[in-house]
């Protein structure tokens, strides 16, 4: 939730919120900085390309088996930097730049990398007075370090893959002592003294008087320049009524990267923008600074709730990635030499023989810290995903139930309300797995508590859900009510765990409870204590089917600068400016650890977070925050989640129906149809909106919503298998078309449709009153089958699809096998032992492949090899199931009850053979008009070896 008036708030807070919000439903841009209002961004952006003061001191070069070090010098101020270059396993190059001798240590981001990345040997190929050439292992891959000005080029053969500082925009503002007013006055006094003394001896000298005049002018100009620099926000900065003291002065870092041959770049979430990132020459850069942006606008580079400083670049030859490991406020500028050129302009270039190679230039600017960048060299999209996963980890493997449907509202009023909503789903035969409670369930916004009147017997409520094999999520936010009668507050204060203000006292700000403290989650001992609060004997009323939602963890501070924490607040020795974008990750990390500990390490956690950073994928799910019930917000949910998937965070979704405002029935239905095919599927609504449970919009719309929720549940085996793969490999679950079709330029900017895994293509209907959509079906020699009608379509075409309100265009790739469970029950847990139907979609070669993954759905026993993982394949008219994990042990009661083969021919006979050698006939039907063969009751266990032969 963004700040908005709720119940039980103090009159002062209500008044303050009323002033701030003024009843508007749109973002107040004035609450958030532009680059011109962010002193370091303005300062760095004013630098001109091609004037780099940095050169490499080649005589300082040292090369060990694992790293190269080299000093750089700024010829303007003579400050030296230390460059470190590493070749990492998996085709990754790491570049670190820090001050050689800083006045004090500069912040280096901890806890994001899963380990110190393993290195591989570097070797020197050649060296002269102009630079050095290093081998990156493969014979054709090398790094060229040029000395004057400093520049770093990564080459493959004769091609430049990426250049660093080719535009000369490397900046490293060194830490320095501030020359305070007293020092300046002393210097001026000394100047007057020596002037008078000299005048006494040389008063008759006209030459001296002229010298004195020039010297005075020079001194005044120097003082004026110094004053201007101070005014420019180097040592203190004011935004609106907020002052930032900047005790360490200017400390920004910046570096530019050039990408020859590249026109498409992606990533750096979170922004409400298209998948393909735009050039920023004529506006603000993209901003990465976790913020609670009330009613955010679309299609602009403003910062939102999370920040992952990872960018992917792609063309038909190669995919690369840049991971800028810095947790301070960061701005990213993108420019392109082909930006603005029309298709006709590009054709004209081709006809006229223009030799201009497309190029994208990217510049990263961070307020503090060091330069620590990982260059992921691909060369395929999947290689980049693996490379990034090797650094920051993979998506956590969620409990199967969390892939079902979630019902949420700010707020369900009381236990009776929860019970009534739960019963409503049963009455209308709509499955769901989780019901959610927002902040009003607590005792006066004191987290880890329950309202004693409205939720007097929480265990009774939870047990009622458990009896139906359903679960609950309750919110636990990281702002703690300052109240001496509140156990959590007293503990945190007594242990000294709160973030401190610049004067050393506990930092306090306004949030939902009124005056609130903010636990310092950067501290390991604080996180351990927080985790201990989720124990069943600490979190009274909690049970094993209660999970957690971390909201407001940017952190949101209603009366803070840009609705967040002051940058000069202190986390131990570090300022908040150094760690800001990490705060939300640490909150989710501690919460997930708490859920893990309460079960003795056996149960997989489920934690939803609003704020996030690189590595957040290891701890749970993310949603796109406080969206609105508008068609454009429905559309933007697709590129927002695709962008997150590209940088490791697969478990993403948007509030179905829109958080703010009230959707029309048409918009609500279309949003359910879209959300059911996105990884995290939750409906949520603001407390001031009318109720919108799925059955409140008339029987016809209830039926439409029921149908698409049931579609989600039939596909849970496939969703679960995709998350297992994401957990193992780092590949995104919901992915852009270009990931699977990297050589097809027609896919590069598509963000109104997407793939789930590689085998399902979804083109949601996101236009009001739509009568049809045009979907691009990729794959020149491929085919796609409409999953509803089984109609076959060729790949590499734009297909117009007429739609009605019941339509959601979904296609299965020819050459794939997808398992489904068609017996939908009230929750996923109730379907555990139900049988499977296999959908076999044949390609033009009449072959197909797929997988089936089964485990207990909720524990970590899969790590002990307790699972079933099978390869399903169809070739030469034989469908077989083969064990992919012979050393794994798990049994299932599920069986294969139906096999549907799309694109088939009619057989004369079908038989099934099991491991015991028995061969039995299988009943079948054949629809000649659609070439669909249905095999009935082959009667084999889902975990067994078997073959089905068509004769």
């Amino acid at each position: 939730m963004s700040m908005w008036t709720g119940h039980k708030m103090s009159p002062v807070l209500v008044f303050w919120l009323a002033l701030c919000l003024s009843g508007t439903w749109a973002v107040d841009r004035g609450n958030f900085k532009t680059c011109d209002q962010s002193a370091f961004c303005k300062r760095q952006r004013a630098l001109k390309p091609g004037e780099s003061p940095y050169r490499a001191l080649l005589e300082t070069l040292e090369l060990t088996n694992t790293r190269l070090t080299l000093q750089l010098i700024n010829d303007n101020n003579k400050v030296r930097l230390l460059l470190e270059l590493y070749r990492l396993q998996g085709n990754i190059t790491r570049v670190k730049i820090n001050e050689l001798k800083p006045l004090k240590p500069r912040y280096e981001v901890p806890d994001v990398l899963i380990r110190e990345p393993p290195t591989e040997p570097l070797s020197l190929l050649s060296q002269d007075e102009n630079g050095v050439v290093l081998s990156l292992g493969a014979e054709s891959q090398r790094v060229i370090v040029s000395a004057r000005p400093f520049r770093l080029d990564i080459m493959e053969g004769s091609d430049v893959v990426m250049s660093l500082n080719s535009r000369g925009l490397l900046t490293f503002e060194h830490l320095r002592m501030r020359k305070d007013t007293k020092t300046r006055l002393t210097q001026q006094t000394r100047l007057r003294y020596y002037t008078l003394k000299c005048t006494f001896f040389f008063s008759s000298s006209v030459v001296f008087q002229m010298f004195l005049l020039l010297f005075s002018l020079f001194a005044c100009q120097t003082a004026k320049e110094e004053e201007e620099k101070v005014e420019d926000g180097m040592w203190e900065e004011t935004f609106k009524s907020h002052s930032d003291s900047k005790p360490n002065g200017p400390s920004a870092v910046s570096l530019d990267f050039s990408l020859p041959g590249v026109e498409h770049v992606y990533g750096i979430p979170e922004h409400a923008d298209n998948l393909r990132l735009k050039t920023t020459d004529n506006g603000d850069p993209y901003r990465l600074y976790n913020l609670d942006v009330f009613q955010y606008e679309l299609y602009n580079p403003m910062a939102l709730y999370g920040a992952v400083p990872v960018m992917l670049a792609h063309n038909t030859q190669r995919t690369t990635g840049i991971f800028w490991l810095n947790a301070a406020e960061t701005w990213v500028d993108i420019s392109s030499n082909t930006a603005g050129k029309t298709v006709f302009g590009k054709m004209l270039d081709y006809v006229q023989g223009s030799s201009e190679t497309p190029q994208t230039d990217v510049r990263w600017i961070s307020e503090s810290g060091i330069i620590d960048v990982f260059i992921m060299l691909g060369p395929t999209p999947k290689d980049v995903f693996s490379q990034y996963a090797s650094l920051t980890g993979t998506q956590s493997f969620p409990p199967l139930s969390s892939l079902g449907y979630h019902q949420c509202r700010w707020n369900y009023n009381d236990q009776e309300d929860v019970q009534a909503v739960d019963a409503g789903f049963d009455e209308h035969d709509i499955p769901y797995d989780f019901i959610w409670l927002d902040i009003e369930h607590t005792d006066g916004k004191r987290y880890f508590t329950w309202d004693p009147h409205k939720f007097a017997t929480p265990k009774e409520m939870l047990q009622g859900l458990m009896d139906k094999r359903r679960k609950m999520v309750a919110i636990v936010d990281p702002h703690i009510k300052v109240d001496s009668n509140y156990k959590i507050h007293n503990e945190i204060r007594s242990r000294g765990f709160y973030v401190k203000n610049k004067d050393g006292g506990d930092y306090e700000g306004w949030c939902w409870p009124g005056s609130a403290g903010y636990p310092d989650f950067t501290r390991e001992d604080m996180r351990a204590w927080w985790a201990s609060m989720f124990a069943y004997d600490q979190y009274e009323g909690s049970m094993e089917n209660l999970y957690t939602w971390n909201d407001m963890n940017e952190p949101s501070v209603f009366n803070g600068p840009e609705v967040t924490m002051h940058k000069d607040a202190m986390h131990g020795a570090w300022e908040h400016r150094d760690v800001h974008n990490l705060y939300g990750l640490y909150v989710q990390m501690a919460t997930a650890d708490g859920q893990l500990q309460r079960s003795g390490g056996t149960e997989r956690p489920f934690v939803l977070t609003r704020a996030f950073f690189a590595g957040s994928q290891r701890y749970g799910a993310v949603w796109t925050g406080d969206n609105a019930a508008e068609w454009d917000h429905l559309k933007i949910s697709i590129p927002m989640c695709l962008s997150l998937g590209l940088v490791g965070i697969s478990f993403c979704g948007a509030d179905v129906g829109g958080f703010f405002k009230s959707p029309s029935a048409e918009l609500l239905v279309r949003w359910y149809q879209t959300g059911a095919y996105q990884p995290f599927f939750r409906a949520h609504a603001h407390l001031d909106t009318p109720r919108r449970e799925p059955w409140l919009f008339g029987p016809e719309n209830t039926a439409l919503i029921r149908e698409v929720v049931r579609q989600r549940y039939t596909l849970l085996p496939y969703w679960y298998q995709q998350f297992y793969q994401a957990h193992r490999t780092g590949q995104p679950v919901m992915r852009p078309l270009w990931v699977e079709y990297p050589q097809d330029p027609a896919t590069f900017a598509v963000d109104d449709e997407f793939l789930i895994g590689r085998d399902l293509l979804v083109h949601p209907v996101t236009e009001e009153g739509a009568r049809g959509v045009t979907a691009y079906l990729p794959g020149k020699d491929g085919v796609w089958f409409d999953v509803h009608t089984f109609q076959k379509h060729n790949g590499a075409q734009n297909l117009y699809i007429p739609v009605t309100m019941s339509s959601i265009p979904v296609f299965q790739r020819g050459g794939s096998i997808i398992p489904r469970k068609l017996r939908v029950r009230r929750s996923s847990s109730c379907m555990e032992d139900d049988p499977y139907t296999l959908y076999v979609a044949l390609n033009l070669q009449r072959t197909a492949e797929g997988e089936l993954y089964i485990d207990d759905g909720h524990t970590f026993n899969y790590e002990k090899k307790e699972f079933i993982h099978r390869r399903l394949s169809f070739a030469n008219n034989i469908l077989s199931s083969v064990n992919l994990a012979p050393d794994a042990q798990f049994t299932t009661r599920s069986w294969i009850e139906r096999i549907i083969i799309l694109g088939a021919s009619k057989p004369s006979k079908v038989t099934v053979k099991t491991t015991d050698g028995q061969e039995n006939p299988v009943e079948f039907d054949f629809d000649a008009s659609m070439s669909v063969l249905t095999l009935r009751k082959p009667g084999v266990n889902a975990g067994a070896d078997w073959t089905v032969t068509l004769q």
Side-chain angles (χ1 to χ4, degrees), residues 727-862:
H727 177 61
R728 286 179 61 241
T729 67
Q731 310 301 315
V733 171
M734 176 181 172
R735 57 187 74 159
L737 271 58
W738 64 262
V739 167
E740 292 297 331
Y741 299 89
Q743 295 182 314
D744 182 357
T747 66
F748 292 0
V750 172
D751 62 7
D752 58 354
E753 62 183 78
F754 54 90
L755 293 164
I756 304 167
R758 64 175 186 165
D759 296 335
L760 279 184
L761 185 150
V762 186
H763 190 302
V765 181
T766 58
E767 294 283 346
E768 185 174 13
R771 301 289 181 85
V773 299
T774 300
Y776 181 68
L777 303 181
K780 187 174 68 170
D781 299 316
V783 293
W784 295 87
F785 292 87
D786 185 311
V787 301
H788 307 297
T789 65
F790 301 149
Q791 189 170 350
K792 182 167 79 171
H793 303 280
N794 292 327
Q797 67 158 321
N798 286 299
L799 178 70
Y800 179 77
I801 307 151
V803 298
T804 65
M805 275 308 297
S806 64
S807 305
I808 174 162
V810 181
F811 300 88
Q812 182 174 342
R813 183 180 63 84
S816 67
I817 301 174
I818 291 179
R820 297 182 184 230
K821 286 191 173 185
L822 301 186
R823 300 186 190 180
V824 176
R825 304 186 191 275
R826 65 180 172 222
S827 75
S828 62
S829 299
C830 296
M831 298 164 62
E832 182 179 352
D833 295 327
D834 282 348
Y836 290 88
T837 295
L838 303 181
Y839 284 77
V840 181
L842 302 183
N843 57 22
L844 296 177
Q845 292 75 42
R846 296 181 56 78
T847 64
E849 276 206 349
E851 292 180 14
L852 178 62
Y853 176 83
I854 308 171
D855 63 16
D856 64 23
H858 59 95
T859 74
F860 285 96
N861 289 348
Y862 69 91

Side-chain angles (χ1 to χ4, degrees), residues 279-305:
T279 57
T280 59
D281 294 332
N282 299 317
D284 263 9
Y286 284 96
R287 190 182 188 199
L288 294 171
Y289 191 60
N290 294 359
L291 292 172
D292 179 355
V293 183
F294 174 76
Q295 183 64 82
Y296 57 84
E297 287 183 8
L298 309 185
Y299 304 106
N300 69 50
M302 286 177 69
L304 284 181
Y305 311 99

Side-chain angles (χ1 to χ4, degrees), residues 420-435:
V421 171
D422 175 69
F425 277 90
D426 292 335
E427 181 186 340
H428 294 92
D429 194 23
I430 301 172
Y432 89 96
D433 269 83
F434 284 82
I435 190 164

Side-chain angles (χ1 to χ4, degrees), residues 94-129:
R94 183 181 193 178
V95 177
K96 289 180 77 170
I97 303 176
N98 198 351
E99 291 185 58
L100 182 65
K101 295 179 179 176
L103 278 181
K104 57 193 289 189
R106 297 179 68 115
Y107 190 70
E108 298 189 40
V109 175
D111 301 316
V112 167
L113 302 178
I114 54 173
R115 58 177 173 168
E116 190 60 31
T119 58
E120 292 190 343
L122 277 167
S123 58
L124 186 66
L125 295 178
S126 65
Q127 179 176 357
D128 60 23
E129 68 276 7

